[in-house]
Amino acid sequence: MKNVLITGSARGIGAQTAKLFAAEGYNVIVNYNTSENEAAETCREISLSGGNSVMIKADVSKRSEAEHLFSEARKEFGPIDVLVNNAGVAQIKLFTDITDEDYDRMFDCNVRSVFNCCQLALPDMIHKKNGRIINVSSMWGITGASCEVHYSASKAAVIGLTKALAREVAPSGITVNAVAPGVIDTPMNSGFDKETMEALKEETPVGRIGTPEDVARAILFLADEKSSFITGQTLGIDGAFI
């Protein structure tokens, strides 16, 4: 049985990804930072469906906490076969109003967390000559978003990290890919009012807002052995928005 660690998997895309991997027979490490109740509910649903999971608290932007996460995960299930770097934050703000604290938090949560977890997962993957890493970026990391400059820049950095790391670890049988979700019905977008969401829906050519399951299924595909020749890629899941 393979083991998957999904950062930020208490709710939204992460939670749906956790449940989907569990349904496919994976042992699932549900990572959370502040959303303890939601993480417990995700694990409860996995258990009710006959799956195996454990919830572990860690702010993966902090190296010591990320190390604790991987140590506890290994004690519970063994080495990580699939790493999904999903943890992240967003913020809408005029560029001229972004503070040093805003910038640092954005890059810590969205980029340093990916750096930390990739470094911690790779030794076991390299030893086994096999592994899958899937990083969650955003369509705004590809095209950029007004009033989300620091967010767009951080997600673009995730894509750059993905492409470079994929080349470096490919000889070790490890693939590294990214997904770039569009407008998805998640708590991260809950701050938008109904009119804004309707406008975004109209801008999406397929005529609907994406679901967490849309993204989760793409992540599961990239984790599968059938996708072993796909690496260094960014898969857009945006209904042709860009």
Side-chain angles (χ1 to χ4, degrees), residues 1 4 28 31 102 109 195 207 227 241:
M1 188 176 288
V4 59
V28 181
N31 161 247
D102 292 332
C109 292
E195 289 183 0
S227 65
F241 194 104

Side-chain angles (χ1 to χ4, degrees), residues 4 17-28 46 49-53:
V4 59
T17 302
K19 288 181 273 191
L20 194 58
F21 271 85
E24 292 295 319
Y26 283 78
N27 292 319
V28 181
I46 288 172
S49 299
N52 297 316
S53 66

Side-chain angles (χ1 to χ4, degrees), residues 106-127:
M106 189 67 66
F107 273 78
D108 281 348
C109 292
N110 292 358
V111 187
R112 187 179 293 276
S113 63
V114 177
F115 174 86
N116 285 341
C117 291
C118 286
Q119 275 201 334
L120 293 166
L122 278 171
D124 285 332
M125 291 182 177
I126 291 169
H127 178 73

Side-chain angles (χ1 to χ4, degrees), residues 70-103:
F70 276 79
S71 174
E72 292 301 306
R74 287 190 189 95
K75 289 177 186 177
E76 192 72 31
F77 293 133
I80 302 303
D81 298 289
V82 178
L83 169 64
V84 181
N85 284 306
N86 171 72
V89 295
Q91 183 183 41
I92 297 174
K93 205 167 190 179
L94 285 171
F95 179 70
T96 50
D97 291 337
I98 295 171
T99 66
D100 288 349
E101 290 76 17
D102 292 332
Y103 180 91

Side-chain angles (χ1 to χ4, degrees), residues 32-51:
Y32 72 99
N33 183 22
T34 59
S35 304
E36 182 175 1
N37 291 338
E38 290 92 338
E41 176 60 23
T42 298
C43 287
R44 189 186 73 84
E45 290 183 28
I46 288 172
S47 179
L48 288 174
S49 299

